[in-house]
């Protein structure tokens, strides 16, 4: 079973959407990770709060630090603004996405744990992706806003902090190009708040300049699998009226490249 859930949070002690959506059982296994300056405020509201080292800023080093605290475990790192939904199957009636109940959540975490016996990371698809009614998971897909790691088998030499943001993409591509695949659930999914909304790490780290720079860095690091393009002006959020960079990432191709490299080395 999943040993621990970690929710990095900043500036939102009274707006813990992910925490509020967890069942009571899973709240007992959840730790909220906060800046040292906010520890007292958060710990007065939640039973398990962990303070970051003094001066630690930025989501990428925070994720690395969490992994190092949780060696030899199956863990989940969840953004603090997630709704959990069940997406109906092809042979089921009802709405496309409904809120997960306690039974759904139990099955969801059990599925993640089972997958982590086979792969080092996995996750839940986001509802901004087109729903997949006929399949239960994607093999080698995008994981962001939530990620599950088996820290027993997760490589210890990953480059966590060479990109300030887009850290989920950075780590995912590193793992896939090493031949370490993932599974992404299309049955159990997450519905985050609007992308690039105010608050959280966006308030302190994710400026438009940093965001764009990290997409360029990601393309330079993985030129065969990442293609950057300019998106239309944002219609809402903290960058309303501004253009930003986005990217197309070929996740499965990144994984398949590891097999080609292995074959080439074998032939030599």
């Amino acid at each position: 079973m999943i040993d621990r859930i970690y929710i990095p949070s900043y500036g939102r002690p009274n707006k813990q959407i992910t925490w509020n959506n967890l069942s009571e059982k899973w709240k007992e296994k959840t730790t909220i990770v906060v800046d040292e300056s906010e520890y007292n405020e958060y710990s007065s509201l939640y039973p398990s709060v962990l303070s970051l080292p003094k001066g630690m800023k930025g989501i990428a080093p925070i994720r690395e630090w969490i992994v190092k605290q949780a060696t030899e475990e199956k863990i989940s790192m969840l953004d603090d603004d997630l709704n959990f939904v069940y997406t109906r199957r092809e042979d089921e009636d009802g709405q496309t996405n409904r809120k997960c109940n306690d039974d759904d959540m139990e099955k969801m975490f059990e599925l993640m744990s089972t997958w982590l016996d086979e792969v080092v990371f996995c996750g839940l698809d986001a509802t901004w992706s087109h729903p997949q009614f006929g399949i239960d998971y994607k093999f080698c897909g995008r994981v962001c806003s939530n990620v599950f790691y088996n820290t027993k088998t997760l490589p210890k030499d990953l480059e966590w902090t060479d990109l300030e943001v887009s850290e989920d993409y950075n780590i995912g591509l590193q793992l896939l190009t090493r031949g370490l695949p993932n599974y992404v659930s299309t049955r159990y999914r997450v519905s985050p708040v609007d992308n690039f909304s105010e608050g959280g790490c966006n308030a302190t780290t994710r400026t438009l300049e940093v965001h764009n720079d990290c997409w360029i860095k990601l393309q330079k690091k993985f030129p065969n699998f990442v293609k950057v393009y300019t998106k239309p002006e944002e219609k809402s959020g903290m960058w309303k009226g501004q253009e930003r960079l986005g990217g197309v990432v070929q996740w499965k191709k990144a994984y398949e490249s590891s097999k080609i490299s292995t074959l080439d080395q074998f032939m030599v």
Side-chain angles (χ1 to χ4, degrees):
M1 189 51 73
I2 300 300
D3 296 297
R4 200 77 194 157
I5 299 169
Y6 294 90
I7 303 176
S9 185
Y10 182 82
R12 292 171 171 165
N14 296 305
K15 192 180 179 182
Q16 287 298 301
I17 297 172
T18 301
W19 167 269
N20 289 335
N21 285 321
L22 290 170
S23 64
E24 291 304 315
K25 171 183 175 178
W26 289 101
K27 284 180 179 178
E28 293 176 4
K29 293 194 171 198
T30 298
T31 295
I32 301 176
V33 182
V34 303
D35 188 83
E36 180 195 37
S37 66
E38 297 187 312
Y39 175 77
N40 289 339
E41 187 173 10
Y42 273 87
S43 60
S44 69
L45 298 170
Y46 306 98
S48 180
V49 179
L50 187 61
S51 174
L52 291 165
K54 187 175 182 178
M56 179 172 284
K57 302 291 183 183
I59 192 61
I62 289 171
R63 292 198 188 286
E64 179 181 32
W65 184 81
I66 290 172
V67 164
K68 289 181 177 179
Q69 310 313 301
T71 58
E72 305 297 309
E73 290 183 321
K74 295 177 181 178
I75 68 167
S76 174
M77 274 190 273
L78 305 175
D79 286 2
D80 65 4
D81 60 351
L82 302 179
N83 296 292
F84 300 95
V85 302
Y86 177 88
T87 299
R88 66 175 176 82
R89 300 296 83 203
E90 202 167 42
D91 59 349
E92 294 175 335
D93 296 324
Q95 65 189 90
T96 296
N97 298 310
R98 62 165 171 78
K99 183 178 179 179
C100 281
N101 56 38
D102 287 1
D103 184 57
D104 296 325
M105 193 157 290
E106 193 66 19
K107 291 175 180 176
M108 177 185 78
F109 281 111
E110 183 178 351
L111 177 64
M112 295 298 108
S113 178
T114 299
W115 281 350
L116 288 178
D117 290 331
E118 182 179 346
V119 298
V120 301
F121 76 125
C122 58
L124 311 170
D125 197 19
T127 53
W128 61 59
S129 298
H130 192 274
Q132 303 287 319
F133 303 117
I135 60 172
D136 282 345
Y137 64 89
K138 300 173 185 176
F139 179 68
C140 296
R142 174 178 60 185
V143 173
C144 62
S145 77
N146 73 97
V147 62
F148 294 75
Y149 291 122
N150 187 337
T151 61
K152 292 181 181 179
T153 54
L154 187 69
K156 302 298 189 285
D157 60 343
L158 296 170
E159 296 176 336
W160 288 86
T161 59
D162 53 335
L163 273 70
E164 293 179 67
V165 296
S166 301
E167 71 290 337
D168 289 338
Y169 287 17
N170 185 18
I171 296 300
L173 284 168
Q174 288 182 58
L175 292 170
L176 292 171
T177 53
R178 293 185 187 203
L180 299 171
N182 70 8
Y183 295 116
V184 183
S185 171
T186 56
R187 178 188 289 259
Y188 306 102
R189 302 202 293 168
V190 292
S191 178
V193 298
D194 291 341
N195 215 9
F196 311 118
S197 61
E198 300 286 352
C201 74
N202 292 335
T204 58
T205 304
R206 192 187 290 272
T207 65
L208 181 59
E209 292 74 18
V210 168
H211 168 87
N212 288 343
D213 182 59
C214 284
W215 266 113
I216 292 169
K217 287 179 179 177
L218 194 68
Q219 180 176 250
K220 288 181 178 178
K221 188 171 182 177
F222 300 102
N224 295 326
F225 317 119
V226 179
K227 183 178 180 180
V228 171
Y229 65 94
T230 301
K231 298 176 74 71
E233 289 185 2
E234 292 292 316
K235 295 182 179 180
S236 62
M238 62 183 182
W239 300 334
K240 183 177 180 180
Q242 301 181 76
E243 292 182 344
R244 67 176 175 87
L245 296 182
V248 175
V249 182
Q250 295 179 287
W251 303 103
K252 190 169 289 187
K253 183 179 178 182
Y255 171 69
E256 291 170 348
S257 72
S258 68
K259 307 306 177 187
I260 295 172
S261 297
T262 302
L263 180 59
D264 288 345
Q265 292 167 5
F266 176 78
M267 294 300 290
V268 171

